[in-house]
Amino acid sequence: TRSCPLSYPPTPFPRALASSSTSHHQFPSFTAMRSLRELARFATQTRSLAPAFRVAPVAAASASFAQTRVFTMSAPSSVEVDAYKVGDSTNIKWHEGSVDSATREKALGQKGCVLWFTGLSGSGKSTVAYTLEHALFQRGKIAQVLDGDNIRHGLNSNVDFSPAGREENIRRIGEVSKLFADSGMITLVSFISPYRKDRDDVRKRVGDGKFVEVYMKIPLAVCEERDPKGLYKAARAGKIKGFTGIDDPYEEPLCAEIVMEVAKEGGDGTLAAPEKMAAAIIAVLEEKGYLTA
């Protein structure tokens, strides 16, 4: 089980130890401690303060014993566990809820899934994703967009644009999207996600039956001409290094479930209206049964 915080505030504890009367220290009642692991933590605090304050011998001895001999509920009663190792991966257990995904989906009248929009910057990923979200809500469906730029303002604000950083960026949002899909949500993820392996890893985590890759197959020339954020111009001027499509690769999907192309969608070498693209995706979702449960 996970270790929980002490049930008593730590601040009054040192004040009590600093009392001028060594025989009347106000130690927290052992019966008030919720678990032996809390007692072990108490022992650690006691030891750290021992050089400066004289600690009652009985309390110190009891706490020392608790620190070295702690049992976890997740381990057999005959197995000794070091208090400092509680929380290691070997002690982390999966807790299965009493409401499964199928029950949630039935309540929502839809099947949880992840639509993973990938493509170059400026290919229209977020525009189409938000348009699709709106169209689904108009049908009474519950959907949520997870946008790459938005996520970097919070959850992934500490992740850079190095290859390792981009891998971690996708790993994190992949885990979040899986949680959303498992709750019955139609989850619309809009990330450049330039590396094929990272996208494939998310597919494996989410599961083929719930993962729908939407490839915005828009040529670099078209994306650069659109350049809604001015990023291509900055990259060409050398102000941005490692920009996908310019000096960092984009690895195209090999078997995306949905592919949006300029020639097919616009018909005249231009991008189709977002509403038209969203309607085409909804048709696929209906065909695959995601809009019913």
Side-chain angles (χ1 to χ4, degrees):
T1 56
R2 296 194 185 109
S3 58
C4 51
L6 295 174
S7 58
Y8 50 88
T11 304
F13 177 47
R15 272 206 306 271
L17 285 177
S19 171
S20 59
S21 175
T22 58
S23 61
H24 296 87
H25 293 309
Q26 300 300 312
F27 289 96
S29 171
F30 289 161
T31 59
M33 296 185 182
R34 291 200 298 256
S35 70
L36 285 175
R37 277 179 292 167
E38 291 183 2
L39 185 59
R41 285 189 179 185
F42 168 65
T44 302
Q45 294 183 9
T46 303
R47 284 186 170 181
S48 66
L49 293 168
F53 308 105
R54 287 178 293 172
V55 181
V58 174
S62 299
S64 177
F65 174 78
Q67 179 180 334
T68 54
R69 296 178 65 85
V70 177
F71 299 89
T72 66
M73 294 180 66
S74 61
S77 59
S78 61
V79 178
E80 292 186 12
V81 181
D82 188 327
Y84 292 108
K85 291 184 179 179
V86 172
D88 283 358
S89 60
T90 54
N91 293 291
I92 295 175
K93 306 297 181 183
W94 180 265
H95 293 270
E96 195 66 51
S98 57
V99 182
D100 61 15
S101 293
T103 302
R104 297 177 190 276
E105 291 174 345
K106 186 175 181 180
L108 294 172
Q110 62 187 44
K111 290 185 175 65
C113 60
V114 174
L115 272 71
W116 192 278
F117 290 79
T118 178
L120 294 171
S121 177
S123 61
K125 299 180 300 297
S126 294
T127 301
V128 175
Y130 279 112
T131 302
L132 175 59
E133 178 188 53
H134 184 256
L136 287 169
F137 265 87
Q138 287 182 320
R139 287 170 165 254
K141 304 305 175 184
I142 309 300
Q144 176 65 52
V145 174
L146 302 177
D147 178 76
D149 283 1
N150 292 355
I151 297 298
R152 281 189 178 272
H153 278 84
L155 176 64
N156 291 354
S157 60
N158 64 334
V159 178
D160 62 21
F161 288 88
S162 67
R166 291 179 175 182
E167 178 181 352
E168 175 61 12
N169 186 44
I170 299 307
R171 187 196 69 80
R172 289 187 193 180
I173 198 60
E175 290 295 326
V176 172
S177 66
K178 182 181 186 301
L179 292 173
F180 274 53
D182 288 345
S183 73
M185 185 83 69
I186 298 174
T187 313
L188 314 176
V189 180
S190 173
F191 275 60
I192 293 175
S193 45
Y195 306 139
R196 189 179 300 121
K197 179 184 180 301
D198 296 344
R199 299 191 302 266
D200 289 345
D201 286 345
V202 175
R203 180 188 289 273
K204 291 175 185 175
R205 273 298 278 151
V206 174
D208 265 334
K210 288 191 172 185
F211 188 89
V212 179
E213 193 169 31
V214 182
Y215 176 27
M216 300 296 292
K217 191 176 182 180
I218 312 303
L220 174 61
V222 175
C223 295
E224 192 166 356
E225 182 180 352
R226 297 183 69 223
D227 201 10
K229 304 173 187 176
L231 299 178
Y232 285 100
K233 184 178 180 180
R236 292 294 187 188
K239 296 178 181 179
I240 300 178
K241 301 296 183 182
F243 190 75
T244 302
I246 303 299
D247 55 355
D248 202 72
Y250 176 80
E251 299 171 359
E252 296 188 52
L254 300 178
C255 299
E257 283 79 3
I258 300 175
V259 179
M260 293 292 175
E261 298 182 63
V262 167
K264 290 182 180 179
E265 304 307 325
D268 56 358
T270 62
L271 285 173
E275 293 80 7
K276 183 178 179 181
M277 291 187 176
I281 295 172
I282 286 178
V284 174
L285 294 178
E286 286 182 325
E287 179 185 344
K288 292 182 176 292
Y290 289 114
L291 302 186
T292 58

